[in-house]
Amino acid sequence: MKSIHHKTRNDLRESIRRAMIVLLNQRLADVLDLGLQAKQAHWNVKGPNFIGLHELFDKVAEELEDLTDEIAERAVELGGVAHGTIQIVSKSSELPAYPLDITSGKEHVAALSSALATFGAATRVAIDTATKGGDADTADLFTGVSRGVDKLLWMVEAHSQAKE
Ligand SMILES: [Fe+2]
């Protein structure tokens, strides 16, 4: 699949832009998958903490949407095509599949925390890849994404961290 689709006056070298488009599309697949995983948790959670978790998981999905937009649009800014269809996402996402058979708040907190942490780790690798690849702006974008995901991970994981 060719990565450069549009001519641009952006002065970043074409080889750099090519590598960044591939990197951005990889993390785009992950974050789209992650957003749906948060919705899956939002829809299916049950138990005594229902309302708090139901609302929190929706907030996670909403905040991920903003990050998703940043990632997708940078791929296009660099001359590429954002690969955001469900067919591509299901082939390319590196996140483990979200379990369909869980119900309790505890299980959804654990499953979503683990998905957020996996994406957070991949994003931190992407910061380094973009820095070494010569694109400070893509590195900065991923730094922002990683900071946002760390915050979401805290908000979800806090439900399982109290010492009782
Ligand atoms: Fe809803």
Side-chain angles (χ1 to χ4, degrees):
M1 205 158 13
K2 66 176 185 172
S3 60
I4 299 283
H5 287 257
H6 314 288
K7 273 195 193 325
T8 167
R9 291 180 177 79
N10 188 306
D11 72 326
L12 268 181
R13 258 212 326 277
E14 187 175 319
S15 60
I16 295 177
R17 287 188 288 114
R18 242 177 237 290
M20 291 305 116
I21 291 163
V22 171
L23 178 67
L24 286 157
N25 270 320
Q26 182 53 63
R27 296 289 76 80
L28 177 62
D30 293 352
V31 77
L32 282 164
D33 186 0
L34 184 58
L36 278 174
Q37 297 200 11
K39 276 295 195 182
Q40 183 70 16
H42 165 70
W43 294 319
N44 291 293
V45 68
K46 307 226 183 265
N49 299 317
F50 170 77
I51 196 64
L53 288 174
H54 174 71
E55 286 173 1
L56 171 65
F57 296 154
D58 210 23
K59 180 183 156 76
V60 170
E62 265 170 34
E63 296 207 3
L64 287 172
E65 226 174 275
D66 294 341
L67 304 178
T68 301
D69 225 44
E70 295 285 318
I71 297 172
E73 287 171 5
R74 182 143 184 92
V76 181
E77 288 162 31
L78 297 181
V81 166
H83 292 168
T85 64
I86 203 79
Q87 290 78 9
I88 292 178
V89 169
S90 77
K91 275 195 214 114
S92 313
S93 171
E94 291 176 0
L95 301 186
Y98 197 82
L100 294 175
D101 56 349
I102 57 175
T103 53
S104 73
K106 199 176 164 191
E107 290 170 305
H108 280 290
V109 162
L112 195 57
S113 296
S114 144
L116 283 162
T118 302
F119 179 66
T123 304
R124 254 182 278 284
V125 173
I127 299 171
D128 284 348
T129 308
T131 303
K132 287 186 192 120
D135 182 354
D137 298 297
T138 296
D140 180 63
L141 185 155
F142 280 127
T143 304
V145 170
S146 145
R147 191 165 53 239
V149 169
D150 281 354
K151 184 171 176 184
L152 294 175
L153 175 58
W154 162 59
M155 295 180 84
V156 174
E157 211 175 31
H159 293 86
S160 62
Q161 288 172 325
K163 291 194 177 78
E164 283 155 27

